[in-house]
Amino acid sequence: MADSQPQELRVVLYSHDSQGLGHTRRNLAIAHALSAGLPGYANRRVTGLLVTGESSATRFDVPSGWDWVVLPGIRKSNDGYRPRHLSIGQDALIQLRMHMIDAVFDRFRPHLVIVDRHAFGVDGELRQALTDLRLKRPACKVVLGLREVLDSPHVMTQEWARMGGTDPLRSVFDQIWVYGDPAIHDPLGTGEIPETLSPLVRYTGYLAAGRVSRGRSTPLSQPYLLTMAGGGSDGLALMLAAAGAEVPEGYEHLVITGPQMPKEHRRLVERAARPGTSVVVKVRDALSEIEGASAIVSMGGYNSVSEIMSTSTPALIVPRTEPRLEQLIRASALARHGIVDMCHPDDLSPEFITAWFMRAAGTRVGRSQVDLTGVAALVPLAADLLVAEAGTQERRRAHAAV
């Protein structure tokens, strides 16, 4: 059934969320940007759903008019994805998630859908839903949002092949938004994104400047140093090295393990903490802690790095190298441009971090050479898609009247 000029624009943001909080945090930044900016273009308020597979995501604040749809969780294993909590088979879990996604598209009737990273979701759970959406609601615009680094070109060639090539993707997606600066890393140039998809690609810049921060929640006074590992599920080595590092005189050190770090690992970190180092599981808002820090040690996830780059705070990035090379590629590219420092995980030690803290604490880093305006760029991109479709519908109605 066609819309009769509704009073709101309805947006769905999907992320599969098998590990960490990066996908959800990226979609939250997008939700806040669209909610704040799109009404000025379309003269209609925005309402939306954040579809996530991470139950802890609901602790984050959503924009007014938005809500969560939490899918049953999944996790990565050595032989693919598996249920995170439910005692059912993976096939049954995917069927359950598919029915929930179908209901979202069918009942919420979105005008814009943005899929984060995995075009057809986990084990193809989005493929039929997106195909049906294209048939039932051809006016709905569908976007694939990609971080600037995907993986090594060899791995990505295999991933695109498993997806059935690029034809299925081109049949359901209107655009591909790459959340990065091609002057730093160009996934089209490296072959991570096939050249046949280049007409769909739009570079936004990093989703860095303009993210919403909510204020610090930790009791430390400034100045302080900060170490974080995203969700924390694979952050033990970094946390142990950082907790065992010497804290420069005049500073405190805040270590955030992340809510997904196993309890036994967190206890090891707490026991390794040197004087002046405080260990917490999570904070209300990582960006606010980043903004107040005098130096930062972090893993190389997209959101952590983007939030760091929105400041002039020096940063040492320690990327993970498994199961993907994404973080290593990102950190290497940024380090080559002098935007961050990098420590390969093979070189990680308390002594390395101590030396870096002593050298970097209290200094500033200029980052004007990188495009950090992706949050602001999202709004005109979305508006152009939606306004173009509105114009097409108006022309169709006028033609039908004649």
Side-chain angles (χ1 to χ4, degrees):
M1 183 174 63
D3 291 323
S4 57
Q5 192 57 34
Q7 296 303 305
E8 74 286 332
L9 288 171
R10 296 185 296 274
V11 181
V12 171
L13 304 180
Y14 162 93
S15 58
H16 75 292
D17 299 300
S18 63
Q19 181 175 354
L21 296 168
H23 300 277
T24 289
R25 290 172 61 203
R26 184 158 54 236
N27 274 353
L28 272 169
I30 295 169
H32 280 287
L34 296 182
S35 187
L38 267 181
Y41 280 81
N43 197 30
R44 291 153 69 186
R45 71 185 184 94
V46 176
T47 189
L49 290 171
L50 286 146
V51 180
T52 177
E54 175 50 60
S55 57
S56 66
T58 58
R59 68 184 175 87
F60 293 110
D61 292 336
V62 296
S64 175
W66 288 69
D67 210 336
W68 296 97
V69 174
V70 179
L71 304 174
I74 55 170
R75 60 177 176 83
K76 290 181 179 178
S77 69
N78 293 332
D79 56 349
Y81 292 104
R82 292 291 179 265
R84 180 180 295 168
H85 302 296
L86 293 180
S87 298
I88 60 176
Q90 178 66 4
D91 290 344
L93 179 72
I94 293 299
Q95 288 295 317
L96 177 56
R97 286 169 58 111
M98 287 173 62
H99 285 303
M100 294 175 69
I101 294 166
D102 286 341
V104 167
F105 289 167
D106 186 51
R107 298 299 180 182
F108 190 62
R109 301 168 62 225
H111 301 95
L112 174 65
V113 173
I114 302 176
V115 176
D116 189 80
R117 174 58 181 92
H118 293 280
F120 296 114
V122 173
D123 293 344
E125 66 184 358
L126 280 182
R127 188 181 295 268
Q128 191 59 53
L130 289 176
T131 301
D132 292 344
L133 182 66
R134 180 60 79 202
L135 293 173
K136 296 176 182 178
R137 293 183 54 77
C140 178
K141 295 300 182 180
V142 184
V143 173
L144 175 61
L146 298 177
R147 59 185 184 240
E148 89 293 20
V149 180
L150 299 176
D151 205 332
S152 69
H154 172 69
V155 168
M156 289 311 302
T157 297
Q158 295 177 327
E159 187 170 316
W160 292 110
R162 287 194 299 271
M163 207 180 301
T166 60
D167 286 346
L169 189 144
R170 286 185 292 176
S171 70
V172 295
F173 286 94
D174 296 286
Q175 286 184 0
I176 298 172
W177 295 352
V178 177
Y179 306 131
D181 181 349
I184 304 298
H185 181 83
D186 184 0
L188 269 173
T190 63
E192 293 162 73
I193 298 176
E195 180 62 31
T196 53
L197 294 177
S198 61
L200 302 183
V201 171
R202 307 290 185 272
Y203 293 96
T204 68
Y206 286 90
L207 304 180
R211 290 198 182 205
V212 176
S213 59
R214 299 180 293 166
R216 295 185 56 217
S217 60
T218 55
L220 287 110
S221 58
Q222 291 177 301
Y224 64 91
L225 313 172
L226 174 64
T227 298
M228 56 187 192
S233 60
D234 58 350
L236 178 61
L238 173 57
M239 295 289 101
L240 287 175
E246 183 179 346
V247 180
E249 186 176 354
Y251 289 91
E252 295 181 86
H253 182 199
L254 176 64
V255 173
I256 307 171
T257 64
Q260 295 177 348
M261 176 171 281
K263 291 181 180 179
E264 60 272 20
H265 289 180
R266 187 166 65 249
R267 286 192 288 268
L268 292 174
V269 176
E270 292 168 347
R271 287 199 290 267
R274 295 280 294 268
T277 295
S278 300
V279 180
V280 300
V281 175
K282 59 187 178 182
V283 294
R284 179 174 61 185
D285 179 46
L287 177 57
S288 295
E289 306 297 340
I290 289 169
E291 290 173 336
S294 297
I296 301 168
V297 176
S298 175
M299 292 183 72
Y302 178 89
N303 289 281
S304 296
V305 170
S306 294
E307 290 176 341
I308 289 168
M309 290 195 299
S310 71
T311 75
S312 58
T313 307
L316 176 67
I317 304 301
V318 184
R320 74 164 64 101
T321 56
E322 294 180 350
R324 292 185 178 274
L325 294 177
E326 167 223 340
Q327 291 196 9
L328 179 62
I329 295 169
R330 173 178 301 112
S332 299
L334 293 171
R336 284 196 300 271
H337 287 80
I339 297 165
V340 301
D341 295 325
M342 187 188 84
C343 173
H344 192 282
D346 291 346
D347 301 323
L348 181 63
S349 68
E351 293 74 23
F352 190 106
I353 294 180
T354 296
W356 185 82
F357 275 155
M358 299 294 181
R359 183 171 66 253
T363 65
R364 311 310 291 174
V365 177
R367 295 180 170 122
S368 60
Q369 69 271 43
V370 56
D371 183 357
L372 304 175
T373 63
V375 171
L378 297 174
V379 174
L381 277 173
D384 287 347
L385 273 176
L386 294 167
V387 169
E389 179 54 36
T392 298
Q393 288 186 333
E394 185 61 35
R395 288 192 295 273
R396 287 172 180 164
R397 283 193 290 268
H399 180 74
V402 172

